[in-house]
Amino acid sequence: EVKREERSKDAEDAEDEDAEHVEAVPSKESKDAAQKYFKSINGGYFAVTPGKDADDEKVAPKFDLHNSPGAIPGLVDHLQANGAQVGQMRVVTYANSAYWPVAKLFIESAERVSPELKSALTIMVTDRATLKECVATGSMCFLDTDMNDVLGDRMNEDGSIQAGQEDMNGDLGKALRIVWTWRKVHVVYTMVQAGYGCLFLDASTVLLRDPRLLVKDKLDSGALLVTLSDFGGTLEQKAINTGLIAARPNEYIGKLLEDWMALEPTATDTEQASLTWNIAPNARADGVVITALSQDVAPSYLTFDVTRHLRGAEGGAMNGYLVHAAHCGSISGKVAFLSRVSELAVDPSKVLPVTEEESKGCDVFDRRKFFTCGLAPWDGVCE
């Protein structure tokens, strides 16, 4: 059971917030406008585009990689063999060898927060070398051999935004990003179907406090699914970011996740796109509550602020629970940004220069715009 801390304002006002949020389909009047919005929420639009044959007809993408249907083989057996109690909320993340430098920062942050949080972690990896390093951290580590069957010798290649953008001709980087991002939906589905609560977090996350109670409050308030927001303001509940996906067993969640996974075989973009544009609007029209954590408690690269999220006001508790490296498109950029956040989490009084790796790998333009005039990426330029 998670130890109850002093409830944050975000947790206390959960019911009121859910009532106030506008949950309609994103209000874009044209396809072009929708694509601009879509680019913003996905941190860089790069959908796999079908090729063209001699008659200028669309053909299948060169690389068409997708997860096996349904639950992930062996994951539940692994949890049970390692003493994970049914009904417990597990915190799960995923990393191949390319993402392991990011995952190490995630694990270290959980250890700083509390031993109880670290004991609730399950780290999923794809090769035995990374598994060995993972086990050395004292975490529960699962070797996902099914992913090896899906990706073969590509299992440890970079699936970041940068990799997808650099591979414009072959589309391999884009296809890899698609299969990796959809994997998390299968993780959540596997866990809740077996009776576990699941808080999936991207490895590109640094934890500041234990987020399980915050998520539990949202689920207790009626949310069927909890995610991150991509930005604050009026679009906060529409601009979904799936760097966090949380759910627990109930009679409805399996159907929602199955509907979501049913879109994967023909998907040419991330699971975040399908949730934002298809699943969430349709589910909300049926009365389903999908709640995105605010930037006050779960900032991204664009919105993270030491004073706001770490220091707290005049002796008060800090707001932040986690920092997610959304809008950092390369692994090196994520590592640089999250390393800086990790140091600041230990000592918020430090003055740490932004490295060249962070500047090159993250969306400096839109971060500067936010701190200049508070505008989101899709809101034009500061006047």
Side-chain angles (χ1 to χ4, degrees):
E1 180 68 25
V2 180
K3 293 180 180 178
R4 178 166 290 273
E5 303 175 274
E6 181 179 347
R7 286 165 62 97
S8 66
K9 186 177 187 302
D10 187 82
E12 291 174 342
D13 296 339
E15 294 88 351
D16 293 338
E17 288 180 351
D18 286 339
E20 292 172 0
H21 287 319
V22 178
E23 296 188 342
V25 177
S27 56
K28 298 298 177 182
E29 298 178 355
S30 68
K31 183 177 180 181
D32 288 344
Q35 289 300 327
K36 181 180 178 183
Y37 173 73
F38 182 65
K39 178 178 180 180
S40 297
I41 64 167
N42 273 317
Y45 177 72
F46 57 88
V48 172
T49 52
K52 295 189 176 182
D53 61 18
D55 296 323
D56 203 35
E57 294 294 329
K58 290 183 177 180
V59 297
K62 182 177 180 182
F63 297 100
D64 190 26
L65 303 173
H66 294 287
N67 291 278
S68 304
I72 295 174
L75 178 55
V76 174
D77 291 340
H78 176 82
L79 292 169
Q80 293 174 347
N82 284 275
Q85 299 297 311
V86 171
Q88 179 188 41
M89 177 170 281
R90 301 293 302 177
V91 181
V92 186
T93 195
Y94 208 118
N96 66 0
S97 63
Y99 264 75
W100 180 243
V102 189
K104 284 195 294 185
L105 292 170
F106 173 86
I107 296 169
E108 289 166 5
S109 72
E111 193 166 29
R112 277 197 306 272
V113 169
S114 73
E116 291 84 2
L117 177 57
K118 187 181 177 186
S119 69
L121 293 184
T122 297
I123 315 298
M124 300 178 66
V125 299
T126 58
D127 67 282
R128 295 193 178 277
T130 306
L131 177 65
K132 184 177 179 180
E133 289 195 53
C134 183
V135 170
T137 69
S139 304
M140 183 190 295
C141 306
F142 172 68
L143 179 62
D144 187 5
T145 56
D146 180 67
M147 197 56 153
N148 296 351
D149 295 336
V150 174
L151 294 180
D153 59 5
R154 301 186 179 110
M155 66 183 179
N156 283 312
E157 294 191 32
D158 185 351
S160 68
I161 290 174
Q162 182 186 58
Q165 291 172 332
E166 290 175 350
D167 190 39
M168 296 301 289
N169 295 323
D171 274 341
L172 175 58
K174 299 177 183 180
L176 286 171
R177 179 165 171 76
I178 290 170
V179 73
W180 282 118
T181 57
W182 280 92
R183 192 66 169 174
K184 66 183 78 173
V185 188
H186 293 262
V187 172
V188 178
Y189 178 76
T190 302
M191 302 282 283
V192 297
Q193 290 296 92
Y196 294 93
C198 182
L199 170 53
F200 185 96
L201 283 164
D202 282 354
S204 55
T205 304
V206 161
L207 296 166
L208 305 175
R209 286 191 281 171
D210 190 336
R212 289 175 295 170
L213 179 61
L214 179 65
V215 168
K216 180 179 181 298
D217 284 330
K218 295 298 186 184
L219 294 171
D220 288 345
S221 297
L224 188 64
L225 197 71
V226 179
T227 70
L228 298 179
S229 63
D230 200 58
F231 204 80
T234 58
L235 289 178
E236 185 162 82
Q237 297 303 302
K238 299 176 189 176
I240 292 168
N241 187 298
T242 52
L244 180 154
I245 305 174
R248 62 186 175 195
N250 57 53
E251 59 183 311
Y252 304 109
I253 188 63
K255 178 64 165 58
L256 183 143
L257 294 170
E258 286 168 0
D259 288 348
W260 195 357
M261 290 186 294
L263 301 176
E264 183 180 2
T266 56
T268 58
D269 213 308
T270 64
E271 86 323 332
Q272 180 170 299
S274 292
L275 179 62
T276 299
W277 294 107
N278 188 299
I279 297 299
N282 290 330
R284 285 166 168 168
D286 290 336
V288 172
V289 177
I290 297 174
T291 298
L293 299 181
S294 75
Q295 296 290 310
D296 286 334
V297 296
S300 70
Y301 167 78
L302 294 187
T303 59
F304 170 69
D305 179 69
V306 176
T307 300
R308 179 182 175 192
H309 297 113
L310 287 180
R311 290 177 181 162
E314 294 299 324
M318 63 184 182
N319 289 328
Y321 279 80
L322 60 92
V323 181
H324 182 237
H327 302 278
C328 290
S330 68
I331 292 175
S332 60
K334 293 176 189 293
V335 170
F337 168 59
L338 294 175
S339 295
R340 184 163 65 88
V341 172
S342 294
E343 287 194 56
L344 291 169
V346 175
D347 183 1
S349 66
K350 284 186 175 180
V351 178
L352 300 176
V354 174
T355 64
E356 184 179 356
E357 289 82 1
E358 181 177 330
S359 295
K360 285 184 176 179
C362 302
D363 186 358
V364 174
F365 177 84
D366 282 315
R367 176 175 169 82
R368 185 177 296 126
K369 182 170 70 175
F370 169 73
F371 281 99
T372 299
C373 60
L375 291 183
W378 50 81
D379 284 336
V381 297
C382 298
E383 295 182 356

